Amino acid sequence: MSLSISSLRKNDSVVVITGKDRGKRGRVLKVIADKNRLIVEGVNIIKRHTKPNPQRNIKGGIVEREGALHASNVQLVCPECGKMTRIGHRVDGDRKVRICRKCEGVVDK
Ligand SMILES: [Zn+2]
C-alpha cells in the first residue's frame, strides 16, 4: 500500500483535524516526505525523560518536543481565505502552483 505524497510544505499553516490536538493550528516545521509525516509547531507534544549525562553536559529531566503527525491528520489553512482546505494544483505559465480548493487562491507565493 502506498499513499500519495502530501502536498504540504514547510512553513504552511495547518490545522489538526483528528486526534488529541484536533483544532490546533500551527506552522509546518518539517516534512518527512518518505513517511508522509509532518512536524507541526506546538502540536503533538511528546515528553521525553532524559537521563543526565555529565560527559555530554546533559541535565536529566523532561524534554518536550513535537512528534510527527501523519499528513492525513492535518489540513492546510489557506493564506488567502483562511479556511481549511484541500490542495489543488494549477499550471501557471511554466510552473505548477498549489491552489486552495475553496477560493482558488494561489497558496504558493
Ligand atoms: Zn482559500
Side-chain angles (χ1 to χ4, degrees):
M1 188 183 80
S2 76
L3 290 163
S4 64
I5 296 299
S6 163
S7 295
L8 291 164
R9 292 184 195 158
K10 194 176 172 185
N11 290 326
D12 282 344
S13 284
V14 295
V15 63
V16 181
I17 55 174
T18 61
K20 70 180 166 74
D21 286 328
R22 190 167 152 188
K24 271 196 190 172
R25 285 184 180 215
R27 193 166 54 89
V28 176
L29 298 178
K30 190 178 178 189
V31 177
I32 307 160
D34 59 339
K35 291 188 176 149
N36 217 16
R37 293 172 82 84
L38 310 163
I39 306 280
V40 181
E41 190 172 36
V43 172
N44 197 24
I45 299 295
I46 294 170
K47 286 183 184 177
R48 306 191 91 199
H49 295 265
T50 57
K51 286 182 183 166
N53 183 342
Q55 276 151 25
R56 289 168 59 202
N57 200 27
I58 295 170
K59 287 180 185 168
I62 299 167
V63 174
E64 294 191 349
R65 66 176 181 88
E66 286 94 351
L69 294 168
H70 197 265
S72 64
N73 292 349
V74 302
Q75 266 200 329
L76 182 75
V77 177
C78 172
E80 292 288 323
C81 68
K83 291 178 184 161
M84 282 165 52
T85 183
R86 298 210 299 139
I87 297 168
H89 291 94
R90 188 171 75 200
V91 176
D92 209 4
D94 58 1
R95 96 191 167 116
K96 194 176 172 192
V97 294
R98 295 180 303 157
I99 60 163
C100 168
R101 288 264 181 96
K102 291 199 172 144
C103 71
E104 313 255 298
V106 176
V107 173
D108 300 305
K109 297 299 169 205

